[in-house]
Amino acid sequence: MNVIHTPYTAPENLDERSRDIFRTIVETYLETGEPVGSRNLARQLEVSLSPASIRNVMSDLEHLGLIFAPHVSAGRLPTEIGLRYFVDGFLEFGDLTKDERANIETQVKAADKTVDSVLTEASKMLSGLTQGAGLVIAGKTDVRLKHIEFIRLEATKALVVIVGENDMVENRILELPLGLSASTLIEASNYLNAHIAGRTLSEARLAIGKSFTSARNELDELAKSLVDQGLASWAGAETNQMPQLIVRGRGNLLENVDAQNDLDRLRHLFNELESKEGMLQLLDLAETGEGVKIFIGSENKLFSLSGSSVVVAPYRDSDQRIIGAVGVIGPTRLNYGRIVPMVDYTAQVISKLLS
């Protein structure tokens, strides 16, 4: 598992005692969310140190910007810089068990074979496993095609059913010319299926465009009109398709939020994510590098106001192009060691299903 680390210059002068105290402060915070004081630290540390000695070390750690006191005479909490230092230098990312992998595969594959349902199930599954908000950004897909069929819905509307080689299904509504017969729908379907097999949408458009001159004699006018409209519909869907955001488990982020300011920050976060710019930015984050990315609080402006962290990994199509991202949003005290391998494996499962 490859984890992409955010550039950060870690302090080089921490001795073993300082590292032990710092690690204990962060681990306590990740488990409880509460600050820890010198007396509690003295009881938790394996080595015997007086509270006074611990306070001296804590003062040094605070000077380095790794911890802070939320209130006067309170214990200490890690700063965002401290969390980054901990994630990069102390945290070990364990592998998933065989049962955990099987559980992820079973839940994602339980969806019917449409792209949207697979991605929605993945988002819901991650939310349930991590107690955060599971998210999926669905970018542009260009799967290789197996079959296309026109199904009449009304006199002037048809459903275009596109089946990929991976058995994923996409449906689009198409306007029909007046007077179009059932035999013409079949004629257009047969012509398209003769030219699309094994090609992507863009490749199919190119191939049909090259052969369309000779096809003038093969198709009647209404069938030609239908093929034209079908190609235009698919071309527009490809060219104009914006990333789609799927989020499940938003309520998990609100369970321990009481202050109005915290609620407002979370609302702002989701407003940002659901905007065109926010989705593109999150997709761009996933496309940078090859592995799982961890963003803590203000390290990225998309999450800075909400005080949230995100763990995100890209998923790929059959040509190994990054076409989307899957991840988890939660408080900065996420269980990174458990969530990172879950996100990483979920991205692998989605990639396999789509390819």
Side-chain angles (χ1 to χ4, degrees), residues 67-319:
I67 62 174
F68 74 103
H71 307 289
V72 178
S73 73
R76 298 298 187 272
L77 293 173
T79 62
E80 289 181 0
I81 291 176
L83 284 172
R84 168 55 59 190
Y85 179 45
F86 176 81
V87 167
D88 288 353
F90 293 81
L91 191 60
E92 295 183 2
F93 300 102
D95 199 6
L96 299 178
T97 66
K98 184 177 180 180
D99 287 344
E100 288 173 330
R101 289 171 178 261
N103 183 36
I104 290 174
E105 290 189 27
T106 299
Q107 291 192 56
V108 175
K109 292 179 179 179
D112 59 54
K113 288 194 172 182
T114 66
V115 175
D116 284 350
S117 63
V118 168
L119 298 180
T120 299
E121 191 61 37
S123 177
K124 184 170 70 174
M125 180 272 300
L126 280 174
S127 171
L129 290 177
T130 65
Q131 300 305 304
L135 68 90
V136 173
I137 293 286
K140 175 183 174 182
T141 59
D142 199 8
V143 299
R144 299 200 172 274
L145 303 173
K146 181 164 67 176
H147 181 75
I148 291 179
E149 184 175 355
F150 296 97
I151 300 174
R152 188 189 297 275
L153 301 176
E154 301 174 7
T156 58
K157 284 187 179 180
L159 181 69
V160 188
V161 181
I162 305 173
V163 183
E165 286 188 340
N166 55 6
D167 288 333
M168 294 296 178
V169 179
E170 291 190 32
N171 301 319
R172 294 172 190 160
I173 301 295
L174 184 68
E175 295 292 330
L176 296 178
L178 286 172
L180 192 109
S181 66
S183 61
T184 303
L185 284 174
I186 295 173
E187 183 182 3
S189 296
N190 290 340
Y191 176 78
L192 284 168
N193 283 316
H195 291 83
I196 66 160
R199 292 185 167 113
T200 65
L201 286 175
S202 55
E203 291 169 348
R205 289 203 316 275
L206 182 62
I208 290 174
K210 289 180 178 179
S211 65
F212 209 65
T213 300
S214 61
R216 300 291 178 183
N217 299 323
E218 301 174 29
L219 299 171
D220 63 28
E221 289 300 320
L222 287 176
K224 283 186 287 188
S225 174
L226 184 58
V227 170
D228 281 335
Q229 289 190 62
L231 289 175
S233 169
W234 303 326
E238 274 196 294
T239 303
N240 300 320
Q241 183 180 8
M242 290 304 302
Q244 174 190 9
L245 176 68
I246 303 170
V247 179
R248 292 294 182 271
R250 298 177 190 227
N252 290 339
L253 301 184
L254 301 174
E255 287 184 355
N256 298 316
V257 174
D258 298 318
Q260 184 62 42
N261 287 342
D262 292 336
L263 289 171
D264 290 341
R265 284 198 296 269
L266 284 174
R267 290 192 187 100
H268 176 80
L269 167 65
F270 284 112
N271 287 338
E272 286 289 304
L273 280 175
E274 289 167 354
S275 70
K276 171 184 172 182
E277 293 77 13
M279 286 189 285
L280 288 173
Q281 185 180 349
L282 189 56
L283 193 55
D284 286 343
L285 293 178
E287 290 179 346
T288 305
E290 295 294 324
V292 183
K293 290 83 173 175
I294 303 170
F295 298 97
I296 300 173
S298 59
E299 285 182 348
N300 186 274
K301 65 180 181 180
L302 190 58
F303 309 103
S304 59
L305 292 179
S306 67
S308 302
S309 288
V310 63
V311 177
V312 64
Y315 60 86
R316 301 171 183 271
D317 64 8
S318 58
D319 296 320

Side-chain angles (χ1 to χ4, degrees), residues 16 18-28 61 86 90:
E16 185 175 352
S18 298
R19 291 170 63 88
D20 287 343
I21 290 173
F22 171 72
R23 182 173 53 242
T24 304
I25 291 173
V26 178
E27 288 175 346
T28 301
L61 294 173
F86 176 81
F90 293 81

